[in-house]
Amino acid sequence: MLETVKYLIGSAGTSGFGSKSTGEEVTAAAASRLRSITAIVTGATSGIGAETARVLAMRGARLVLPARNLKAAEETKTRIATEFPGAEIVVLPLDLSSFASVRCFVSRFLALRLPLNLLVNNAGKFSHDYAVSEDGVEMTFATNYLGHFLLTKLLLNKMAETARETGIQGRIVNVTSAIHTWFSGDSLHYLDLITGQKVPYDGTRVYALSKLANVLHAMELTLRLQQMEANVTANCVHPGIVRTGLTRDREGLVTGGSDDLLRGGAPRAGGRIGEVLRGLQRGLAVDVGVQPGRGHADVARVGGHDGSVPAGGVASFGGSGDVTCRRRNDRGLI
């Protein structure tokens, strides 16, 4: 209770900062170091991500802004560039709810041959209404966790390589929530039930599960990075209560913004969550047919770190250096 009161009144913690501290204040001491980094910030078109991107640009970092809504991303780029004329900003398409889109984004990014020092897995979704992704997974979990899981997995070698070549420690930041403590029980069994509409949809519990997965992901990443002897750290952060566009489909305490994460026309899902997770761990294409649920898997596992174009997929490089991604002619993913 005391810690909650301290947070609400903005008392500084052990870091010297509190809930009233701004991004500019927090980064002031590191301004010179941030001038040499390249950062990917998901969900940078509004809310926490937009302010993170703005402050990093102010400190001289090169930004890569992934977004489904490219118009909103270009507007963010223009807004930042107007405030900081020397800012270097790259906009690339990414729909975190789609495994194929994540793989395509990574192919495009790697084709740019840029270093990667900082990955901020910030984009998030909270929905009161049931929906599934094109891969047959409940939409909130697919967007908040699985998309970032795969994105991190495919970029991990690049981050380790950048840290090794530059001597600058890399950093992965998962934006989670204290709400992760609200979930208890068998996570994958519950996800199968909710995805297959075998139990009533509870948006808050699903969101809590996705945030718990973000925390477990950071914990497991820490172990894997140590095993790799990579000069990269994995972190997870609860940002506190912030007025953003997270619950953009409902009025309430946290409202506003535009949706740059959702996809329309998603199929109905089968009980395939365990199989989908295991496929992501192995870096394999995953079929999306309706089959009985499989066994359990640990949502925090990272699997092999392979940033190459996945089996069965096609990435073609045009003369301009851009990458064109397309689906193969079956139910798998590129």
Side-chain angles (χ1 to χ4, degrees), residues 96-103 133 135 137 141-143 145-154 188 191 217 224 272-287 297-306 310 333-334:
L96 280 164
S97 73
S98 163
F99 301 153
S101 179
V102 173
R103 293 184 185 280
S133 72
D135 303 300
V137 181
F141 191 81
T143 301
Y145 171 63
L146 288 182
H148 284 125
F149 171 97
L150 184 58
L151 179 67
T152 303
K153 174 180 182 295
L154 297 177
L188 289 180
L191 194 58
H217 183 209
R224 298 298 178 102
R272 301 282 316 291
I273 304 304
E275 183 178 350
V276 168
L277 286 171
R278 286 193 295 274
L280 287 176
Q281 290 162 8
R282 298 193 301 272
L284 302 177
V286 180
D287 289 333
D298 183 350
V299 296
R301 296 298 171 187
V302 178
H305 307 298
D306 181 8
L333 306 175
I334 65 170

Side-chain angles (χ1 to χ4, degrees), residues 26 29 31 47-48 62 72 96 129 139 166-167 170 183 193 203-204 211 246 272 287 297 314 327:
V26 171
I48 297 169
R62 178 194 290 119
L96 280 164
D129 301 315
M139 185 67 82
T166 64
F183 183 87
L193 292 177
T204 300
K211 296 290 101 179
L246 182 65
R272 301 282 316 291
D287 289 333
V314 178
R327 300 183 188 284

